[in-house]
Amino acid sequence: MRMKKLTREPSKTNKADSHPPILYGHVHMAKTGGTSLNGIFANTFERVCGHKGYSYDAFQDNERAKMKVKKGQNIRSEGRSRVFLPIMQEIGFEDCDYISAETSWSFWRDTFGR
């Protein structure tokens, strides 16, 4: 899957909800704090897409985890706390301002071009 356009067209008006014409990418390397960074961003900002959480689902995922703890269940048994690359590609990156991917560097080249 290759995206045809990396940046968005700048808004002709100065609306507060307009998208900036830029996309941030986070090369998530193991054991460098990327999981925490992705989780914090997903819970704090809109349009965050990552291997360890999406902003559109972060709040509900945390609520589901809290309920599992109360019931004495394993938090990691299911849920959207870890989104595998094929699922990320299926969801797409069109509404993402920030992408965090814990995978090979070639993901960036193959997905977004050079």
Side-chain angles (χ1 to χ4, degrees):
M1 174 181 163
R2 183 174 229 157
M3 292 185 69
K4 293 182 180 177
K5 193 168 186 182
L6 180 60
T7 59
R8 296 182 184 91
E9 293 297 322
S11 176
K12 294 184 191 234
T13 60
N14 194 12
K15 294 180 181 178
D17 63 345
S18 66
H19 290 265
I22 192 165
L23 174 70
Y24 295 97
H26 171 234
V27 179
H28 184 165
M29 298 173 65
K31 305 301 178 198
T32 60
T35 297
S36 297
L37 182 67
N38 185 185
I40 291 167
F41 278 15
N43 279 292
T44 307
F45 303 107
E46 292 293 322
R47 295 180 293 278
V48 173
C49 307
H51 182 70
K52 301 296 171 112
Y54 276 68
S55 56
Y56 77 84
D57 193 42
F59 179 81
Q60 290 299 325
D61 185 57
N62 286 334
E63 292 300 306
R64 287 188 295 268
K66 288 179 194 176
M67 291 304 294
K68 287 182 180 182
V69 168
K70 286 182 181 179
K71 294 177 181 178
Q73 297 174 338
N74 185 353
I75 294 174
R76 297 186 183 265
S77 61
E78 58 186 57
R80 303 290 287 193
S81 297
R82 182 164 185 214
V83 184
F84 292 98
L85 187 57
I87 300 297
M88 289 177 68
Q89 291 171 324
E90 181 182 320
I91 293 169
F93 304 103
E94 294 79 12
D95 281 336
C96 305
D97 287 344
Y98 174 88
I99 299 170
S100 179
E102 185 178 351
T103 188
S104 169
W105 64 270
S106 60
F107 160 80
W108 300 98
R109 180 200 61 208
D110 297 343
T111 307
F112 301 103
R114 295 178 184 197

